[in-house]
Structure formats: structure tokens, C-alpha cells
């Protein structure tokens, strides 16, 4: 495996673990050239993560789509492109770690909400307004009250 830091192709596997359901193998590797440690995931090729949407339809997991949703909510907020990508990647890593090859748009939404809440309250509110389908100003006021209370 090519080291993401120095590009060397020499590495050793430190640890191999299997997800609970045995669908994903996780390997902790160390680059022999620079000592950098990273993780690779092995799974059956056709097994992409599936996302069940609110209307019951299924679509393939798409990191870009998640990042775009966050980007919209973060417009003109002090949030870096990289932070947005990290959230999307974190979700994928979490799902693979758990061996969850089927998830729901609800679960993804909850994950994003939690991360955004810590990162930026305004972006969080904006995301909520779309995600929870706010109907009017009262919905915003109610959420803002909740945030202030916490
Ligand atoms: Zn390296």
C-alpha cells in the first residue's frame, strides 16, 4: 500500500481486525520508510454503503453529496473546506468501522447535526432548517431557545 505521507510502497501490517458482521476488514499499517501509521479497509467490491432515504428509496453512499449539504449550510461561516470534508469522511469511516453497509439518510443527518453543532451554531441551525423542514420563524426560535439552554 502506498504511504499517504511519503509515497513509499513498503509497509507492514500492525493489526488486522474484522467488523462485527465480518463484512469489513480493517488493517492498521505502518510505513517502513517514514513510520507513518494509517488504516486501510477491505471489503467485497460490490458492497458499497447503501443509504435508505426518507421516501424508502435507496441510493449509494456519497461523500460529496454530504459535503455539499454541509457546504450549503456553512456558507459565509468560518468553516474550512477541509473541516467539511472531514465530517463526510468521518461518517464513512464510522460506517465502515461498524461494518454498516446499510444506513439511512436519518442516521447520516443525525451525525452531521452533531458535528455541526460543535463546529458552528449558525451552520447547525441552517442545516436543521433544511433537514427538519422548518416551516416558519417559530421553528427557528424554538431551536434557538434549545441551543441557548444547552
Ligand atoms: Zn511513508
Amino acid at each position: 500500500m502506498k504511504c499517504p505521507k511519503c509515497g513509499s510502497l513498503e509497509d507492514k501490517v500492525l493489526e488486522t481486525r474484522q467488523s462485527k458482521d465480518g463484512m469489513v476488514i480493517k488493517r492498521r499499517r505502518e510505513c517502513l520508510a517514514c513510520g507513518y501509521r494509517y488504516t486501510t479497509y477491505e471489503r467485497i467490491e460490490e458492497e458499497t454503503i447503501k443509504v435508505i432515504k426518507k421516501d424508502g428509496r435507496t441510493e449509494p453512499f456519497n461523500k460529496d453529496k454530504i459535503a455539499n449539504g454541509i457546504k450549503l449550510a456553512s456558507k459565509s461561516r468560518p468553516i474550512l473546506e477541509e473541516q467539511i470534508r472531514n465530517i463526510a469522511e468521518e461518517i464513512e469511516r464510522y460506517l465502515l468501522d461498524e461494518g454498516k453497509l446499510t444506513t439511512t439518510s436519518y442516521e447520516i443527518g443525525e451525525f452531521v447535526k452533531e458535528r455541526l453543532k460543535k463546529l458552528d451554531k449558525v451552520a447547525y441551525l441552517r442545516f436543521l432548517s433544511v433537514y427538519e423542514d422548518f416551516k416558519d420563524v417559530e421553528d427557528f426560535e424554538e431551536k434557538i431557545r434549545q441551543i441557548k439552554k444547552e
Side-chain angles (χ1 to χ4, degrees):
M1 196 64 71
K2 192 171 173 179
C3 170
K5 208 164 187 198
C6 75
S8 164
L9 293 171
E10 304 297 321
D11 73 283
K12 70 172 178 208
V13 174
L14 301 171
E15 190 192 4
T16 301
R17 272 203 301 155
Q18 193 166 257
S19 65
K20 269 176 244 145
D21 63 1
M23 298 300 276
V24 181
I25 303 263
K26 182 181 170 184
R27 289 200 168 89
R28 194 78 186 133
R29 294 172 183 268
E30 186 178 277
C31 172
L32 293 179
C34 75
Y36 185 66
R37 290 182 175 190
Y38 55 100
T39 305
T40 56
Y41 298 91
E42 184 181 316
R43 56 195 159 105
I44 299 163
E45 196 177 14
E46 311 91 275
E47 297 285 5
T48 48
I49 301 169
K50 288 190 202 85
V51 182
I52 302 167
K53 302 203 295 180
K54 256 191 242 166
D55 62 10
R57 282 186 298 149
T58 301
E59 65 179 22
F61 179 85
N62 184 340
K63 256 190 295 189
D64 292 339
K65 201 179 162 184
I66 296 170
N68 281 335
I70 301 171
K71 217 182 280 176
L72 271 179
S74 321
K75 209 175 166 200
S76 71
R77 298 300 304 166
I79 298 178
L80 300 172
E81 184 94 30
E82 197 190 333
Q83 291 176 300
I84 294 174
R85 262 205 319 275
N86 281 345
I87 295 177
E89 267 159 27
E90 234 181 277
I91 297 174
E92 185 179 48
R93 219 174 305 135
Y94 161 76
L95 293 169
L96 291 176
D97 269 349
E98 295 289 307
K100 278 191 170 183
L101 295 175
T102 304
T103 184
T104 57
S105 53
Y106 175 80
E107 187 178 26
I108 291 175
E110 291 299 308
F111 198 100
V112 172
K113 266 161 60 179
E114 205 153 291
R115 291 300 179 287
L116 270 186
K117 198 172 182 180
K118 284 184 206 135
L119 206 56
D120 187 284
K121 296 277 188 286
V122 173
Y124 167 69
L125 263 179
R126 284 198 195 130
F127 184 81
L128 272 189
S129 74
V130 176
Y131 179 73
E132 288 183 2
D133 201 12
F134 283 14
K135 296 281 185 269
D136 48 39
V137 171
E138 277 79 42
D139 289 341
F140 276 97
E141 289 173 344
E142 177 55 33
K143 275 293 170 205
I144 291 168
R145 260 199 303 276
Q146 280 178 24
I147 291 172
K148 280 184 177 161
K149 245 191 272 168
E150 281 168 24

